[in-house]
Amino acid sequence: QVHLQGSGPRLVTPSETLSLTCAVSGYSISSGFYWGWIRQPPGKGLEWIGVGSFYDNGRTYQNPSLKSRVTISLDRSKNQYSLHLNSVTAADTAVYYCTRLNWHHARGNYYFDYWGQGALVTVSS
Amino acid sequence: EIVLTQSPDTLSLSPGERATLSCRASQSVSSSYLAWYQQKPGQAPRLLIYAASSGAAGIADRFSGSGSGTDFTLTISRLEPEDFAVYYCQLYDDSSWTFGQGTKVEIK
């Protein structure tokens, strides 16, 4: 069974960088699929942040509205991946979920099938 | 950018009743691109339906999806107490993913 466990600081100062790591167990991230992040501001809906994959030559894809601030990196040796979101403001306060994206054009797959438990990150001074 | 609009925002029903949730895209999309998720308070979303009508592993068969083009529907045939939650539709579009604003199914 695939399990995703996110970790990182829960309080970030405005203008600084939000950094989260997702440790994956039950599957090697270098074997396939896409690995990424979705967030949910308190009381609001879901927003896709971005994904990356070794399968796709390490290419990453980001939400155009966040692209300039988002970096996603994958570490095969530790079987984990990370999110860095820079220049944060209070609007970046949200629960951040790490997810596995099942994305395969030939098979018609375009959905998130595994999710971590989520971590509330607050941006405040 | 394709926009997803879910309706209604809130659906008040009793256990045992049928729930019909709508997700409308601002332009026609492939059915393969549409998925549905359930989210309970304090929990991560859970995949219910992918490719508009295919049930995810372990999902009860009272959940079904249908639709094509711009209009998609999630149906819960008979509501169980554990089905009262928020439901989101999700769309793939040009290497990006977007979600509808959600429909809350609450106990009447």
Side-chain angles (χ1 to χ4, degrees):
Chain A
Q1 179 75 342
V2 179
H3 183 70
L4 292 81
Q5 180 71 48
S7 62
R10 297 300 193 257
L11 180 63
V12 182
T13 303
S15 81
E16 298 294 312
T17 297
L18 180 158
S19 297
L20 294 171
T21 297
C22 185
V24 180
S25 58
Y27 190 86
S28 171
I29 65 172
S30 59
S31 295
F33 294 99
Y34 289 77
W35 306 90
W37 302 88
I38 290 169
R39 70 181 183 179
Q40 185 172 37
K44 296 187 178 181
L46 301 166
E47 181 181 34
W48 173 70
I49 299 172
V51 294
S53 176
F54 286 114
Y55 175 79
D56 197 356
N57 294 318
R59 184 174 177 181
T60 60
Y61 301 82
Q62 296 87 18
N63 187 321
S65 68
L66 300 170
K67 188 171 185 177
S68 63
R69 298 196 292 132
V70 170
T71 300
I72 292 173
S73 57
L74 295 87
D75 186 337
R76 67 174 80 233
S77 66
K78 295 182 178 178
N79 209 41
Q80 65 185 33
Y81 60 99
S82 299
L83 168 69
H84 299 282
L85 179 67
N86 60 36
S87 305
V88 296
T89 69
D92 294 310
T93 294
V95 175
Y96 286 75
Y97 295 101
C98 50
T99 63
R100 188 179 85 168
L101 172 62
N102 191 334
W103 183 17
H104 197 292
H105 288 298
R107 298 173 185 168
N109 296 341
Y110 304 91
Y111 52 85
F112 301 92
D113 55 2
Y114 287 95
W115 298 64
Q117 83 283 7
L120 175 61
V121 180
T122 301
V123 178
S124 175
S125 55
Chain B
E1 178 188 348
I2 302 176
V3 176
L4 290 179
T5 303
Q6 293 186 240
S7 62
D9 289 333
T10 302
L11 195 54
S12 298
L13 296 168
S14 300
E17 290 193 294
R18 182 185 189 89
T20 303
L21 288 67
S22 173
C23 177
R24 177 164 291 178
S26 56
Q27 58 186 272
S28 184
V29 300
S30 168
S31 297
S32 295
Y33 297 170
L34 200 286
W36 289 93
Y37 301 82
Q38 175 195 67
Q39 186 179 33
K40 298 179 181 179
Q43 296 184 17
R46 177 175 69 145
L47 176 68
L48 294 176
I49 302 288
Y50 64 94
S53 60
S54 296
I59 300 303
D61 58 10
R62 63 181 180 274
F63 292 94
S64 64
S66 62
S68 63
T70 59
D71 293 313
F72 299 88
T73 300
L74 174 69
T75 301
I76 311 171
S77 59
R78 287 179 56 86
L79 282 164
E80 296 289 340
E82 62 268 27
D83 299 336
F84 291 92
V86 180
Y87 293 83
Y88 293 94
C89 57
Q90 166 247 296
L91 177 69
Y92 164 80
D93 173 33
D94 192 21
S95 301
S96 290
W97 284 261
T98 58
F99 293 87
Q101 83 280 11
T103 290
K104 181 179 181 180
V105 179
E106 65 176 22
I107 299 176
K108 185 175 182 181

